[in-house]
Amino acid sequence: MNQATHNSTDAVSPVSTTKRLLVVCRTAPYGSSLARESLETALAAGAMGINVAMLFIDEGVWQLIDNRDAHHKGHTETGKSHSATISALPIYDVGPLLADKESLSQRGIDLGRLADDAEIIETVQVINILNSYEIVLSF
Amino acid sequence: MILHTVNKSPYSSQCLSDCLPRVAPGDAVLLIEDGVYGINCAVSLSMTPVNETILRLRETQVRFYVLREDIKARGLDDHLKGSLFKPVDYEGFVDLVGNADKVLSWY
């Protein structure tokens, strides 16, 4: 009986919620499934009450271009654009969404085109951010 | 302390040059799989910026390793001589993971 009680508790909260998760995104959307999987991981973690943030660096910053009205038939099961999911992240308590300034400028990305919730960070901050989260997953 | 693993050749991928600017003092960098082709990038002329970064990071107690099994598999044993990367075996890999707070994969 005790065992069963334990198991049901574990199913709700398998990871200690005191540990914060950082999802590091380094790939552009659509070319591979990695970008999609990083969002699914963040959403799943958020749904389980885990404190989860996302860091977009290198090619990952392409994910933040706000293109939520576009429909990409065949790219995703729902036909929804990647950025539609990005814009939904705060609803699921995923955040902050951190974007490396240098990666953006190297690619000529207009900051005005970014998802509303993207937070631009200085490149020197990246190391501190990587160190400050207890769990880091790289996509 | 973070253990950074790099598994792509620096001649075909940006992994290593993307990783290095994000390495903090005291961290460790380990080349695995095709990442081991980077063992001598530090002495190759085309990789001068990588060379300079590695030398600068070594001054901040960053340690550089390469997985010996993957070096052997690719016949690169002779490249170990004079390399800035210290060879470790699988056991050493496990020790590095055990001593790190977390592992960050660059792939």
Side-chain angles (χ1 to χ4, degrees), chain A residues 31-95:
Chain A
S32 75
S33 61
L34 279 167
R36 192 80 213 164
E37 285 167 8
S38 69
L39 296 188
E40 282 169 11
T41 301
L43 288 169
M48 288 195 290
I50 296 167
N51 189 330
V52 51
M54 300 188 79
L55 172 64
F56 297 85
I57 54 173
D58 306 324
E59 289 285 88
V61 293
W62 293 115
Q63 294 186 38
L64 291 171
I65 291 180
D66 189 354
N67 196 28
R68 79 187 97 163
D69 297 328
H71 283 254
H72 294 257
K73 217 173 178 189
H75 276 134
T76 64
E77 286 146 35
T78 57
K80 265 188 188 168
S81 70
H82 191 80
S83 75
T85 311
I86 292 268
S87 59
L89 290 173
I91 300 167
Y92 296 91
D93 283 335
V94 174

Side-chain angles (χ1 to χ4, degrees), chain B residues 6-22:
Chain B
V6 178
N7 80 335
K8 295 283 189 308
S9 164
Y11 303 99
S12 71
S13 155
Q14 295 256 65
C15 280
L16 184 60
S17 46
D18 285 345
C19 159
L20 292 178
R22 282 78 182 235

Side-chain angles (χ1 to χ4, degrees), chain A residues 3-129:
Chain A
Q3 189 66 43
T5 313
H6 245 101
N7 284 343
S8 64
T9 311
D10 286 351
V12 174
S13 179
V15 179
S16 163
T17 48
T18 55
K19 286 189 178 176
R20 299 179 312 148
L21 168 66
L22 181 69
V23 176
V24 180
C25 303
R26 296 186 55 247
T27 52
Y30 305 120
S32 75
S33 61
L34 279 167
R36 192 80 213 164
E37 285 167 8
S38 69
L39 296 188
E40 282 169 11
T41 301
L43 288 169
M48 288 195 290
I50 296 167
N51 189 330
V52 51
M54 300 188 79
L55 172 64
F56 297 85
I57 54 173
D58 306 324
E59 289 285 88
V61 293
W62 293 115
Q63 294 186 38
L64 291 171
I65 291 180
D66 189 354
N67 196 28
R68 79 187 97 163
D69 297 328
H71 283 254
H72 294 257
K73 217 173 178 189
H75 276 134
T76 64
E77 286 146 35
T78 57
K80 265 188 188 168
S81 70
H82 191 80
S83 75
T85 311
I86 292 268
S87 59
L89 290 173
I91 300 167
Y92 296 91
D93 283 335
V94 174
L97 309 180
L98 307 165
D100 174 39
K101 196 179 186 177
E102 193 174 288
S103 301
L104 289 162
S105 67
Q106 280 170 348
R107 289 161 181 79
I109 297 174
D110 177 5
L111 301 187
R113 285 290 319 277
L114 293 186
D116 292 340
D117 297 291
E119 196 179 305
I120 316 295
I121 53 156
E122 296 292 332
T123 296
V124 290
Q125 288 177 266
V126 172
I127 289 180
N128 292 338
I129 289 162

Side-chain angles (χ1 to χ4, degrees), chain B residues 36-37 39-40 43 66 68 70-85 87:
Chain B
V36 302
Y37 287 118
I39 183 166
N40 267 340
V43 292
V66 61
R68 191 190 290 275
D70 288 337
I71 283 284
K72 276 188 184 164
R74 289 162 182 76
L76 300 175
D77 306 61
D78 56 328
H79 289 248
L80 279 171
K81 208 175 155 189
S83 172
L84 295 173
F85 294 83

Side-chain angles (χ1 to χ4, degrees), chain A residues 24 26 34 57-58 100 103 126-127 130-136 138-139, chain B residues 1-2 4 14-15 18 21-24 27 101-107:
Chain A
V24 180
R26 296 186 55 247
L34 279 167
I57 54 173
D58 306 324
D100 174 39
S103 301
V126 172
I127 289 180
L130 289 174
N131 275 295
S132 64
Y133 284 79
E134 288 78 16
I135 310 167
V136 179
S138 166
F139 287 87
Chain B
M1 188 272 278
I2 297 181
H4 303 261
Q14 295 256 65
C15 280
D18 285 345
R22 282 78 182 235
V23 172
D27 282 359
D101 297 318
K102 54 214 163 198
V103 180
L104 194 48
S105 306
W106 299 85
Y107 61 96

